[in-house]
Amino acid sequence: METSRIPLKQINYNDNSYEIGRRVSDDRLLVSIRRHGMLRLPVVLGGSDGYAILEGFNRLRAAAELGWESAECLVAASPDPERFLAHALEKEYRRDIGPVGKVRLAGILEELFRTDPSRCRRICITGFAVPEQVLDDPKLRKFVMEMPAPLADYCDAKDINYRVMGKLRALPAGALTRLARWVSQDRMRVNLFRSIVDMLDDICRRDGDAGFLGGIDEAPAEGEVPDSHIHERVFEVRYPEYAGIKKKAERIVAEYSMPGISIEVPRNIEGPVVRIRLDLDSRDGVEGSLKKLRMLDEKFLAALMGLLG
């Protein structure tokens, strides 16, 4: 391979045929390249319509974002399967390949490098811990390769397992588009993402589709965390009986709450305990304190106990 300074406008960033690593989602790489330059040269493949990237996708994207006009690269005449495999193993050692990247790796070895099937299988299982059932599931592999980009990047970055991806594959296209938008707009916590996927899978099995998503109010209330808001809206559709009880609980709490009385109902009405805090202020005097105590009457307690049933 020869070293050459390549104009970045001649690099085809849309050609990700050989990309297997996680996409960098923070500024650390930008800061490093701005301060020190590229500590390791990217590898590109020359062609009639520009250059395709073999190694260094994140570095070259960062260079373009920094406004570089060109970058020193190693230029390969053709892809080298053994070099590519060594590069992939090094990335795996650094934990730079996620579950989507590993499926892409299997496809590259099989389709682009025509690796012997038994060797390819051995490499994927022993070198990259790809489950055998994933290698033997062409429908799941095809779905992972064609997943909407924001969703694929999220699954890679957060190490979303193949069980969850199997449930994603069963969802209608509209639900996948909505999920892709949610994960690209906000930082969605992994536990909530997995729970949302599980609930969407249940809803689609029960109702036949996820058409309700079109009517979801995605705007969180003031002070509400966006991913919690989305999770709550999906939860209400998955468990309508709980949603009704929750609204009833909110009405009861609103009716009996007043300065000095706070009521905490278990989240999703799960659990046998309701917490009531009563603050007696000397400035209220005896009558004001008695008024607070009278609020906690038999009717109020019966309503709360009825929720916990």
Side-chain angles (χ1 to χ4, degrees), residues 35-302:
R35 289 178 179 172
H36 310 296
M38 289 194 192
L39 302 180
R40 184 171 181 174
L41 296 184
V43 181
V44 298
L45 179 66
S48 57
D49 57 347
Y51 295 88
I53 306 172
L54 295 176
E55 300 174 20
F57 286 87
N58 286 319
R59 281 168 279 161
L60 286 169
R61 279 192 287 259
E65 189 172 341
L66 289 169
W68 287 20
E69 293 185 357
S70 61
E72 290 286 334
C73 298
L74 294 171
V75 182
S78 61
D80 180 342
E82 295 307 318
R83 179 187 173 93
F84 177 84
L85 180 57
H87 173 65
L89 287 167
E90 182 182 348
K91 291 181 80 66
E92 170 68 358
Y93 176 76
R94 297 198 308 262
R95 296 185 58 81
D96 286 342
I97 305 181
V100 175
K102 292 179 181 182
V103 169
R104 292 182 58 81
L105 169 69
I108 292 168
L109 293 177
E110 292 172 348
E111 298 168 17
L112 298 183
F113 290 135
R114 302 295 181 185
T115 306
D116 175 75
S118 60
R119 183 182 182 223
C120 179
R121 188 178 185 85
R122 185 170 64 253
I123 288 170
C124 291
I125 293 172
T126 61
F128 298 90
V130 181
E132 289 188 64
Q133 59 267 34
V134 173
L135 294 174
D136 294 335
D137 189 339
K139 291 182 179 179
L140 175 60
R141 289 176 57 178
K142 183 176 186 295
F143 167 77
V144 171
M145 295 284 284
E146 298 175 354
M147 205 187 306
L151 203 50
D153 291 345
Y154 180 87
C155 289
D156 241 8
K158 303 298 185 182
D159 274 322
I160 301 300
N161 63 45
Y162 294 113
R163 180 196 69 81
V164 175
M165 289 191 210
K167 291 194 172 186
L168 285 172
R169 184 177 72 83
L171 296 179
L176 294 176
T177 301
R178 191 65 62 101
L179 277 169
R181 187 167 78 244
W182 290 341
V183 299
S184 64
Q185 289 177 342
D186 300 298
R187 292 182 177 179
M188 181 168 283
R189 286 166 285 180
V190 172
N191 62 323
L192 294 187
F193 176 80
R194 289 176 179 148
S195 177
I196 288 171
V197 172
D198 284 340
M199 289 191 292
L200 287 174
D201 180 61
D202 290 342
I203 292 166
C204 288
R205 291 174 186 274
R206 183 190 69 198
D207 301 341
D209 61 40
F212 77 93
L213 288 172
I216 260 191
D217 177 12
E218 297 182 2
E222 185 177 351
E224 189 177 17
V225 182
D227 59 355
S228 294
H229 172 80
I230 295 294
H231 184 271
E232 197 70 22
R233 302 291 78 76
V234 177
F235 184 92
E236 288 172 355
V237 177
R238 172 61 183 89
Y239 301 103
E241 64 278 13
Y242 283 109
I245 294 172
K246 184 181 177 186
K247 285 184 171 57
K248 183 178 178 182
E250 289 170 350
R251 287 196 300 269
I252 294 170
V253 170
E255 180 181 351
Y256 285 92
S257 292
M258 62 179 293
I261 299 178
S262 59
I263 305 164
E264 182 183 334
V265 179
R267 181 174 176 79
N268 299 328
I269 323 298
E270 294 176 341
V273 178
V274 173
R275 288 184 173 82
I276 302 171
R277 175 171 171 167
L278 177 64
D279 295 330
L280 299 180
D281 193 322
S282 61
R283 291 169 295 184
D284 293 337
V286 173
E287 189 56 38
S289 298
L290 286 171
K291 181 181 178 182
K292 292 179 183 178
L293 288 169
R294 293 189 191 105
M295 290 288 291
L296 309 181
D297 58 12
E298 183 178 353
K299 177 185 173 184
F300 164 70
L301 293 174

